[in-house]
Amino acid sequence: MHDTPPEIKPLSVRIYFTSLGLWLALCLGAMATGVALDIRTVETGLSQAGDAFSDQLDRQMVASETVLKGFSALFGAVGRTEPHKAGAYARQVVKSNPQIFALEIVESVAKDQLPAFVAAKRREGIPGFTVKSFSYDSDRKWQPPKEKSAYYPIVFMEPMPPGSEDVLGLDVESVPFLRRAVAEALQREAPVASHPFRLVEGNLAYVVFCPIPQTRWHDVPGPAPAARERLMMVDMVIDATALTQHVKLPVFDGGTVIVHHT
């Protein structure tokens, strides 16, 4: 006598679809968990990269502000009597801080003192010195200075690459976005940055102006009233593209990162 195998009943359609639904739910759950973990990993990586980027920018900005204030103090103390010391300092700090494109000195001069001022600068070793304006917003060419009560020409620049001598004598007030920064720096008697602009070399840059302490009252040739009216400022041209090195953000191929200010 042989035993007959037990009869296998076919699964009902309801059980079949229920099992299939559970399997799909498990697969989708696993996929969702994986995607969520990947997103969290990317978010964490972006946050860490952003913090590191911000810290690096902060360090660069602190270093730049320290250089600016140090140069301001140095030029206020010995710049007019020993300009070679100011030049040596400027070249050294620019070499050590690649984000600094140049250090400059701006000196104010009243309209009625302009001819004597230009003659004095030529005697001091700048033979082609003249005060001029620059049409940054139009054809970007040198132009004669406009009629106004006072001018703010650049009288010192380091480093001085070949071909950049024409910058000396530029009335910084002739450039609108520089004019606003100059006015605010004089009003606050503190460093003030201009709006970004493009250098001739094509890099994005901005300028930080800072009044030189006490140049309103001493160390300026001429009668006392004129000396009180004249002042000097140091400015620092910052190459924004050199502020930090390029970083690779932790995103997937084809991903997009949107950076915004909050």
Side-chain angles (χ1 to χ4, degrees), residues 161-189:
S164 61
E165 296 83 359
D166 286 346
V167 172
L168 296 178
L170 167 64
D171 177 17
V172 294
E173 270 206 333
S174 67
V175 183
F177 58 84
L178 297 182
R179 184 191 311 131
R180 290 188 289 269
V182 167
E184 188 175 350
L186 293 176
Q187 180 181 8
R188 295 172 52 189
E189 296 187 350

mmCIF file of all heavy atoms in Angstrom, residues 161-189:
data_model
loop_
_atom_site.group_PDB
_atom_site.id
_atom_site.type_symbol
_atom_site.label_atom_id
_atom_site.label_comp_id
_atom_site.label_asym_id
_atom_site.label_seq_id
_atom_site.Cartn_x
_atom_site.Cartn_y
_atom_site.Cartn_z
ATOM 1 N N PRO A 161 53.253 96.400 -11.726
ATOM 2 C CA PRO A 161 53.643 95.631 -12.905
ATOM 3 C C PRO A 161 53.875 96.564 -14.096
ATOM 4 O O PRO A 161 53.306 97.659 -14.158
ATOM 5 C CB PRO A 161 52.432 94.714 -13.147
ATOM 6 C CG PRO A 161 51.659 94.729 -11.874
ATOM 7 C CD PRO A 161 51.899 96.076 -11.266
ATOM 8 N N PRO A 162 54.708 96.165 -15.045
ATOM 9 C CA PRO A 162 54.918 96.987 -16.232
ATOM 10 C C PRO A 162 53.599 97.294 -16.940
ATOM 11 O O PRO A 162 52.764 96.411 -17.134
ATOM 12 C CB PRO A 162 55.834 96.112 -17.115
ATOM 13 C CG PRO A 162 56.530 95.213 -16.147
ATOM 14 C CD PRO A 162 55.543 94.947 -15.058
ATOM 15 N N GLY A 163 53.406 98.551 -17.304
ATOM 16 C CA GLY A 163 52.185 98.955 -17.991
ATOM 17 C C GLY A 163 51.084 99.454 -17.086
ATOM 18 O O GLY A 163 50.051 99.925 -17.566
ATOM 19 N N SER A 164 51.277 99.337 -15.765
ATOM 20 C CA SER A 164 50.235 99.771 -14.828
ATOM 21 C C SER A 164 50.488 101.166 -14.274
ATOM 22 O O SER A 164 49.761 101.619 -13.397
ATOM 23 C CB SER A 164 50.121 98.779 -13.673
ATOM 24 O OG SER A 164 51.346 98.702 -12.966
ATOM 25 N N GLU A 165 51.507 101.869 -14.783
ATOM 26 C CA GLU A 165 51.837 103.193 -14.266
ATOM 27 C C GLU A 165 50.703 104.190 -14.457
ATOM 28 O O GLU A 165 50.593 105.173 -13.713
ATOM 29 C CB GLU A 165 53.113 103.726 -14.945
ATOM 30 C CG GLU A 165 54.366 102.913 -14.670
ATOM 31 C CD GLU A 165 54.507 101.710 -15.586
ATOM 32 O OE1 GLU A 165 53.609 101.504 -16.419
ATOM 33 O OE2 GLU A 165 55.504 100.986 -15.467
ATOM 34 N N ASP A 166 49.856 103.958 -15.464
ATOM 35 C CA ASP A 166 48.761 104.887 -15.729
ATOM 36 C C ASP A 166 47.762 104.945 -14.584
ATOM 37 O O ASP A 166 46.977 105.896 -14.493
ATOM 38 C CB ASP A 166 48.025 104.495 -17.015
ATOM 39 C CG ASP A 166 48.828 104.844 -18.255
ATOM 40 O OD1 ASP A 166 49.797 105.611 -18.137
ATOM 41 O OD2 ASP A 166 48.480 104.344 -19.349
ATOM 42 N N VAL A 167 47.765 103.932 -13.705
ATOM 43 C CA VAL A 167 46.830 103.944 -12.578
ATOM 44 C C VAL A 167 47.121 105.113 -11.648
ATOM 45 O O VAL A 167 46.204 105.683 -11.038
ATOM 46 C CB VAL A 167 46.908 102.607 -11.816
ATOM 47 C CG1 VAL A 167 46.091 102.660 -10.532
ATOM 48 C CG2 VAL A 167 46.427 101.468 -12.701
ATOM 49 N N LEU A 168 48.395 105.497 -11.542
ATOM 50 C CA LEU A 168 48.743 106.637 -10.695
ATOM 51 C C LEU A 168 48.078 107.898 -11.253
ATOM 52 O O LEU A 168 48.183 108.209 -12.439
ATOM 53 C CB LEU A 168 50.260 106.821 -10.649
ATOM 54 C CG LEU A 168 51.053 105.675 -10.005
ATOM 55 C CD1 LEU A 168 52.540 105.966 -10.060
ATOM 56 C CD2 LEU A 168 50.601 105.444 -8.575
ATOM 57 N N GLY A 169 47.401 108.609 -10.380
ATOM 58 C CA GLY A 169 46.679 109.805 -10.787
ATOM 59 C C GLY A 169 45.199 109.586 -11.008
ATOM 60 O O GLY A 169 44.453 110.555 -11.200
ATOM 61 N N LEU A 170 44.755 108.318 -10.988
ATOM 62 C CA LEU A 170 43.321 108.057 -11.171
ATOM 63 C C LEU A 170 42.531 108.641 -10.013
ATOM 64 O O LEU A 170 42.787 108.338 -8.847
ATOM 65 C CB LEU A 170 43.069 106.545 -11.242
ATOM 66 C CG LEU A 170 41.603 106.109 -11.126
ATOM 67 C CD1 LEU A 170 40.778 106.637 -12.294
ATOM 68 C CD2 LEU A 170 41.494 104.589 -11.030
ATOM 69 N N ASP A 171 41.571 109.479 -10.324
ATOM 70 C CA ASP A 171 40.655 110.012 -9.323
ATOM 71 C C ASP A 171 39.618 108.924 -9.030
ATOM 72 O O ASP A 171 38.744 108.655 -9.854
ATOM 73 C CB ASP A 171 39.979 111.276 -9.849
ATOM 74 C CG ASP A 171 38.948 111.844 -8.879
ATOM 75 O OD1 ASP A 171 38.982 111.469 -7.686
ATOM 76 O OD2 ASP A 171 38.107 112.643 -9.320
ATOM 77 N N VAL A 172 39.735 108.271 -7.880
ATOM 78 C CA VAL A 172 38.867 107.133 -7.586
ATOM 79 C C VAL A 172 37.402 107.555 -7.506
ATOM 80 O O VAL A 172 36.502 106.726 -7.686
ATOM 81 C CB VAL A 172 39.294 106.425 -6.287
ATOM 82 C CG1 VAL A 172 40.657 105.778 -6.449
ATOM 83 C CG2 VAL A 172 39.294 107.380 -5.098
ATOM 84 N N GLU A 173 37.146 108.829 -7.264
ATOM 85 C CA GLU A 173 35.759 109.301 -7.234
ATOM 86 C C GLU A 173 35.115 109.331 -8.616
ATOM 87 O O GLU A 173 33.897 109.479 -8.730
ATOM 88 C CB GLU A 173 35.689 110.698 -6.609
ATOM 89 C CG GLU A 173 35.500 110.695 -5.113
ATOM 90 C CD GLU A 173 34.838 111.959 -4.637
ATOM 91 O OE1 GLU A 173 34.972 112.998 -5.301
ATOM 92 O OE2 GLU A 173 34.158 111.904 -3.598
ATOM 93 N N SER A 174 35.929 109.198 -9.657
ATOM 94 C CA SER A 174 35.368 109.208 -11.009
ATOM 95 C C SER A 174 34.687 107.894 -11.350
ATOM 96 O O SER A 174 33.979 107.800 -12.354
ATOM 97 C CB SER A 174 36.470 109.504 -12.034
ATOM 98 O OG SER A 174 37.410 108.435 -12.104
ATOM 99 N N VAL A 175 34.917 106.863 -10.536
ATOM 100 C CA VAL A 175 34.274 105.557 -10.743
ATOM 101 C C VAL A 175 33.145 105.433 -9.731
ATOM 102 O O VAL A 175 33.397 105.429 -8.525
ATOM 103 C CB VAL A 175 35.283 104.407 -10.567
ATOM 104 C CG1 VAL A 175 34.628 103.065 -10.856
ATOM 105 C CG2 VAL A 175 36.501 104.620 -11.472
ATOM 106 N N PRO A 176 31.883 105.340 -10.174
ATOM 107 C CA PRO A 176 30.743 105.415 -9.245
ATOM 108 C C PRO A 176 30.811 104.454 -8.074
ATOM 109 O O PRO A 176 30.574 104.839 -6.931
ATOM 110 C CB PRO A 176 29.544 105.123 -10.152
ATOM 111 C CG PRO A 176 29.974 105.562 -11.509
ATOM 112 C CD PRO A 176 31.441 105.252 -11.584
ATOM 113 N N PHE A 177 31.114 103.177 -8.317
ATOM 114 C CA PHE A 177 31.085 102.219 -7.204
ATOM 115 C C PHE A 177 32.258 102.433 -6.251
ATOM 116 O O PHE A 177 32.170 102.071 -5.078
ATOM 117 C CB PHE A 177 31.049 100.775 -7.718
ATOM 118 C CG PHE A 177 32.191 100.382 -8.605
ATOM 119 C CD1 PHE A 177 33.394 99.961 -8.077
ATOM 120 C CD2 PHE A 177 32.049 100.418 -9.980
ATOM 121 C CE1 PHE A 177 34.446 99.586 -8.893
ATOM 122 C CE2 PHE A 177 33.093 100.042 -10.810
ATOM 123 C CZ PHE A 177 34.289 99.633 -10.258
ATOM 124 N N LEU A 178 33.340 103.029 -6.717
ATOM 125 C CA LEU A 178 34.430 103.385 -5.817
ATOM 126 C C LEU A 178 34.087 104.641 -5.030
ATOM 127 O O LEU A 178 34.451 104.771 -3.857
ATOM 128 C CB LEU A 178 35.730 103.596 -6.601
ATOM 129 C CG LEU A 178 36.291 102.381 -7.347
ATOM 130 C CD1 LEU A 178 37.598 102.738 -8.022
ATOM 131 C CD2 LEU A 178 36.484 101.203 -6.400
ATOM 132 N N ARG A 179 33.390 105.568 -5.662
ATOM 133 C CA ARG A 179 32.999 106.814 -4.991
ATOM 134 C C ARG A 179 32.160 106.535 -3.755
ATOM 135 O O ARG A 179 32.367 107.129 -2.703
ATOM 136 C CB ARG A 179 32.213 107.700 -5.955
ATOM 137 C CG ARG A 179 31.835 109.072 -5.382
ATOM 138 C CD ARG A 179 30.839 109.802 -6.269
ATOM 139 N NE ARG A 179 31.291 109.789 -7.645
ATOM 140 C CZ ARG A 179 30.530 109.444 -8.678
ATOM 141 N NH1 ARG A 179 29.279 109.057 -8.482
ATOM 142 N NH2 ARG A 179 31.006 109.471 -9.903
ATOM 143 N N ARG A 180 31.228 105.605 -3.870
ATOM 144 C CA ARG A 180 30.367 105.291 -2.723
ATOM 145 C C ARG A 180 31.182 104.698 -1.573
ATOM 146 O O ARG A 180 30.963 105.026 -0.406
ATOM 147 C CB ARG A 180 29.265 104.319 -3.161
ATOM 148 C CG ARG A 180 28.228 104.940 -4.091
ATOM 149 C CD ARG A 180 27.069 103.998 -4.328
ATOM 150 N NE ARG A 180 27.450 102.864 -5.166
ATOM 151 C CZ ARG A 180 27.356 102.850 -6.485
ATOM 152 N NH1 ARG A 180 26.918 103.910 -7.133
ATOM 153 N NH2 ARG A 180 27.698 101.776 -7.182
ATOM 154 N N ALA A 181 32.124 103.812 -1.891
ATOM 155 C CA ALA A 181 32.944 103.200 -0.845
ATOM 156 C C ALA A 181 33.855 104.234 -0.187
ATOM 157 O O ALA A 181 34.046 104.220 1.034
ATOM 158 C CB ALA A 181 33.783 102.060 -1.438
ATOM 159 N N VAL A 182 34.422 105.151 -0.983
ATOM 160 C CA VAL A 182 35.278 106.207 -0.438
ATOM 161 C C VAL A 182 34.493 107.084 0.525
ATOM 162 O O VAL A 182 34.941 107.386 1.638
ATOM 163 C CB VAL A 182 35.884 107.049 -1.573
ATOM 164 C CG1 VAL A 182 36.518 108.325 -1.018
ATOM 165 C CG2 VAL A 182 36.925 106.247 -2.334
ATOM 166 N N ALA A 183 33.300 107.511 0.107
ATOM 167 C CA ALA A 183 32.485 108.389 0.952
ATOM 168 C C ALA A 183 32.124 107.709 2.272
ATOM 169 O O ALA A 183 32.188 108.329 3.341
ATOM 170 C CB ALA A 183 31.214 108.793 0.199
ATOM 171 N N GLU A 184 31.768 106.431 2.204
ATOM 172 C CA GLU A 184 31.392 105.722 3.433
ATOM 173 C C GLU A 184 32.599 105.508 4.343
ATOM 174 O O GLU A 184 32.490 105.615 5.567
ATOM 175 C CB GLU A 184 30.754 104.384 3.081
ATOM 176 C CG GLU A 184 30.158 103.663 4.289
ATOM 177 C CD GLU A 184 29.411 102.400 3.922
ATOM 178 O OE1 GLU A 184 29.182 102.162 2.722
ATOM 179 O OE2 GLU A 184 29.050 101.645 4.853
ATOM 180 N N ALA A 185 33.768 105.207 3.750
ATOM 181 C CA ALA A 185 34.976 105.014 4.561
ATOM 182 C C ALA A 185 35.356 106.299 5.281
ATOM 183 O O ALA A 185 35.747 106.281 6.458
ATOM 184 C CB ALA A 185 36.128 104.541 3.675
ATOM 185 N N LEU A 186 35.232 107.440 4.592
ATOM 186 C CA LEU A 186 35.552 108.718 5.219
ATOM 187 C C LEU A 186 34.545 109.067 6.317
ATOM 188 O O LEU A 186 34.914 109.597 7.368
ATOM 189 C CB LEU A 186 35.579 109.824 4.163
ATOM 190 C CG LEU A 186 36.694 109.729 3.123
ATOM 191 C CD1 LEU A 186 36.548 110.823 2.084
ATOM 192 C CD2 LEU A 186 38.056 109.790 3.784
ATOM 193 N N GLN A 187 33.292 108.752 6.074
ATOM 194 C CA GLN A 187 32.259 109.047 7.066
ATOM 195 C C GLN A 187 32.424 108.188 8.316
ATOM 196 O O GLN A 187 32.338 108.685 9.441
ATOM 197 C CB GLN A 187 30.877 108.835 6.457
ATOM 198 C CG GLN A 187 29.737 109.132 7.426
ATOM 199 C CD GLN A 187 28.374 108.875 6.794
ATOM 200 O OE1 GLN A 187 28.284 108.337 5.700
ATOM 201 N NE2 GLN A 187 27.318 109.255 7.482
ATOM 202 N N ARG A 188 32.692 106.905 8.128
ATOM 203 C CA ARG A 188 32.805 105.977 9.259
ATOM 204 C C ARG A 188 34.206 105.943 9.862
ATOM 205 O O ARG A 188 34.385 105.439 10.963
ATOM 206 C CB ARG A 188 32.418 104.575 8.796
ATOM 207 C CG ARG A 188 30.955 104.431 8.374
ATOM 208 C CD ARG A 188 30.691 103.081 7.752
ATOM 209 N NE ARG A 188 31.164 101.976 8.599
ATOM 210 C CZ ARG A 188 31.207 100.711 8.233
ATOM 211 N NH1 ARG A 188 30.811 100.373 7.005
ATOM 212 N NH2 ARG A 188 31.640 99.780 9.049
ATOM 213 N N GLU A 189 35.189 106.450 9.088
ATOM 214 C CA GLU A 189 36.597 106.363 9.496
ATOM 215 C C GLU A 189 36.976 104.917 9.827
ATOM 216 O O GLU A 189 37.585 104.603 10.841
ATOM 217 C CB GLU A 189 36.885 107.293 10.679
ATOM 218 C CG GLU A 189 36.702 108.761 10.340
ATOM 219 C CD GLU A 189 37.153 109.687 11.454
ATOM 220 O OE1 GLU A 189 37.433 109.184 12.564
ATOM 221 O OE2 GLU A 189 37.234 110.900 11.219
#
